[in-house]
Amino acid sequence: MVDSAGKAAHRSSAVADTWSVPVLFPPQRPRVVVKADLLPAVSVLSTAALLGIPLGWLWSLMAPPQRMRLVTADGGLAPLELESWHRFDDLAVFGFLAMATGLLIGIVAWFLRERRGPVVFVAAVAGALVAAWLGTQMGPAFANSRYSVDSPPALGAVVAQAPRLDSGWVVLAAPLLTCLVYALMTAWNGREDLGRRLG
């Protein structure tokens, strides 16, 4: 008696498992919004690009100058001992500042909840790249004006040479960190629409 009741219950559960409620309107996956995000993307790109000016100004204040000795009357300069290391220091300081700029751009772009997606992501990365390039142009200009020499120095005098950037590859630090931050936020979110509907 128990076995027959157990078998009947098993058959009824198997029948119940085979039946399912038909879905007349399957949920549609959210599509990429392009047209509505173009104007906000332009705003993100231009605003992020303007960060290159304070980036260059901060670098001109933080980058160490290279002390040089005037060795010839026609303006020939020779670096003092260990002062040539500052060429790497200048590059490293700009790299860290560019990464901080990329981090800031990525976080702010992610918090634009209603505009999350590939369009704003591409605009943020492009804005970070333009900001880093603008920083490489404005930074040496600020530094040259800061360490300008008003009068010609005497022979053997020690002068401070303005910091400079010896490599253009440092501009990639900002967009790479923007990509990393936005990708980590996207993976952490886990929603198909990245939470746009909650905005």
Side-chain angles (χ1 to χ4, degrees):
M1 188 68 179
V2 177
D3 291 340
S4 61
K7 290 179 181 178
H10 180 69
R11 279 198 299 271
S12 63
S13 64
V15 171
D17 289 342
T18 58
W19 288 92
S20 61
V21 178
V23 178
L24 299 177
F25 303 102
Q28 294 182 352
R29 303 186 77 176
R31 297 182 178 179
V32 176
V33 180
V34 176
K35 194 172 184 180
D37 287 352
L38 283 179
L39 187 58
V42 172
S43 300
V44 168
L45 194 153
S46 57
T47 305
L50 289 177
L51 291 177
I53 299 175
L55 169 63
W57 179 71
L58 281 175
W59 176 79
S60 68
L61 295 178
M62 297 176 65
Q66 186 177 1
R67 293 189 302 167
M68 312 282 284
R69 187 182 299 278
L70 187 66
V71 293
T72 60
D74 58 352
L77 297 173
L80 299 181
E81 187 178 1
L82 303 180
E83 285 292 314
S84 59
W85 291 3
H86 288 323
R87 295 173 62 185
F88 172 77
D89 298 337
D90 299 338
L91 200 63
V93 168
F94 189 89
F96 283 118
L97 289 175
M99 286 193 296
T101 303
L103 177 68
L104 176 65
I105 293 172
I107 291 176
V108 171
W110 175 255
F111 278 114
L112 300 174
R113 181 186 290 272
E114 296 181 358
R115 299 303 177 190
R116 288 176 183 171
V119 178
V120 171
F121 166 70
V122 171
V125 173
L129 181 62
V130 175
W133 176 82
L134 187 60
T136 60
Q137 304 301 311
M138 298 298 295
F142 287 133
N144 289 334
S145 63
R146 185 181 179 197
Y147 293 101
S148 61
V149 179
D150 298 331
S151 58
L155 188 64
V158 176
V159 296
Q161 189 180 47
R164 59 182 181 174
L165 296 171
D166 291 332
S167 175
W169 291 101
V170 72
V171 299
L172 296 179
L176 284 177
L177 207 67
T178 301
C179 286
L180 179 63
V181 168
Y182 209 92
L184 288 177
M185 291 291 190
T186 302
W188 172 74
N189 181 267
R191 297 176 180 268
E192 289 186 351
D193 64 343
L194 301 179
R196 287 173 65 111
R197 289 176 296 181
L198 301 177

